[in-house]
Amino acid sequence: MTFPGRDPDVDALRTDRYLDSLLAAADRRAHDVPADAAIDEPLRRTAARLRRDLVRVHPSFRFEERLAARLAHEAAASQLAPAAGAEGSVAAIPITLDDEPAEEEGFRPLLIGGALTSAALSIAGAAYVAWRRARPSRLSRARAARQRDRSTAARAR
Amino acid sequence: MARPVFGRASVTHLDRDRGLVEAARRDRQQFDALYRRYLAQVYNLAFYELSDHHAAEDATERTFLAALANLHRFEERARPADGEGASTFRVWLFRIARNMIANERREKRNHPAVAIEAAGTVPGTTNVEGGAVARDEAAAAWRAVAKLPADRRRAVVLRFVEEMSTAEIAGILGKSEGAVRVLIHRALKSLGRELEPKQ
């Protein structure tokens, strides 16, 4: 009950202080606390009842662990993303090879400034091997190796 | 804990969660510590707001995923008025939760769920008859709180269930501390009328 002429802000402030002490009392396992006489008795009863009846509910352990696993996965993914190239940049650098035509091989992408992950290395490695198999090298040592293979095969026949 | 800030007359309080937040920023796997600290609190707010375990789990999950993704945007803003042990991280997290819960409520409005499950959540007691009375009273309190206008309901839940200070609630609801005090005061008065036995 608010008496006519009473400032609602002052009443609200008194209530707030009472709630502070009520909630602190719960930590001390005290059932009630001395209150400002200006606070209505019904309001004190309501506050005490809410303190008692609005219980905390804990999520299930299963949910907790499932979400923890998902967050860990998201955290790992977000840490890998920049390492795979987001922090670096792909720049085309002209490289002229001594025994290969410049118009075909002139530009090779390089990763600069970013940390290469093992995954990125594996993909790049697989791509390089596939490309290399499709295009035999014209370097003198490679030519000699191919020549040796061919002559070994001819002798075997 | 406090530290002086050069060039200012005031003292800036450190956020209670500063260490955990900094660790999580360095290594996101460390976010787990913040998650474990606040999971139950976020879930509680979601459950009281949504009255449904599954919807509360969805809102809780979205809250923590958004917090992890946006951790780099969090700015610590603890003030002396927030008192010792204040956490602006908690306020920031609960602001995210408030938005996620609002989205979930909108979705729920299209797919109405069952009423609040308060009776099943009140701690058990060896006194069966007394336990039933306690459950009925708790259910009545939950129903009365659920009927409050949204801002009053949130303020009451944050004050009584989460035991937050008026300053923290003001930060979460985006209102002044005076406005929050008035919200709670008015909520208590209307709850009193609802819960007190009729004369």
Side-chain angles (χ1 to χ4, degrees), chain A residues 93-155:
Chain A
I93 295 182
I95 298 171
T96 306
L97 303 173
D98 55 357
D99 64 344
E100 298 191 38
E103 63 271 16
E104 289 179 18
E105 296 285 337
F107 292 90
R108 284 186 175 180
L110 290 179
L111 200 67
I112 300 170
L116 280 173
T117 64
S118 58
L121 280 171
S122 322
I123 292 166
Y128 179 77
V129 167
W131 176 82
R132 214 56 184 144
R133 279 188 179 169
R135 286 181 58 99
S137 170
R138 280 186 244 169
L139 288 170
S140 52
R141 270 181 296 179
R143 275 201 302 273
R146 280 200 302 277
Q147 183 62 43
R148 190 193 61 222
D149 289 347
R150 272 199 292 272
S151 53
T152 308
R155 275 200 299 273

Side-chain angles (χ1 to χ4, degrees), chain A residues 1-2 15-16 20 40 45-46 49 51-57 64-65 67 70 72 78-79, chain B residues 27-29 35-36 39 44 48 61 65 137 142 159-161 163 166 181-182 185 189 192 196:
Chain A
M1 174 181 197
T2 305
T15 303
D16 191 53
D20 276 342
D40 302 337
R45 280 200 301 271
T46 305
R49 179 160 176 194
R51 177 73 194 84
R52 186 195 66 200
D53 289 343
L54 297 186
V55 293
R56 288 183 177 168
V57 187
E64 180 175 348
E65 292 311 310
L67 182 51
R70 175 142 190 224
S78 67
Q79 277 174 336
Chain B
D27 173 8
R28 292 193 163 214
Q29 297 287 351
Y35 162 70
R36 304 278 181 187
L39 168 68
N44 258 299
Y48 270 88
E61 182 163 351
L65 287 170
E137 289 194 350
W142 281 49
R159 192 78 165 110
F160 284 90
V161 183
E163 296 187 11
T166 309
R181 279 195 288 267
V182 170
H185 181 73
K189 284 192 162 293
E196 288 278 318

Side-chain angles (χ1 to χ4, degrees), chain B residues 57-117:
Chain B
E57 285 182 354
D58 283 348
T60 303
E61 182 163 351
R62 289 181 197 181
T63 298
F64 281 102
L65 287 170
L68 175 65
N70 293 287
L71 193 61
H72 61 285
R73 293 186 184 168
F74 165 65
E75 287 177 31
E76 184 186 307
R77 287 179 183 162
R79 307 164 306 157
D82 296 332
E84 293 295 319
S87 169
T88 52
F89 174 78
R90 180 160 84 153
V91 171
W92 179 76
L93 182 67
F94 270 75
R95 286 177 77 107
I96 296 174
R98 198 191 74 178
N99 291 335
M100 295 302 172
I101 290 165
N103 291 342
E104 197 77 30
R105 279 181 81 91
R106 272 193 289 276
E107 285 174 25
K108 266 191 65 163
R109 218 171 286 149
N110 299 330
H111 307 91
V114 292
I116 203 155
E117 305 160 24

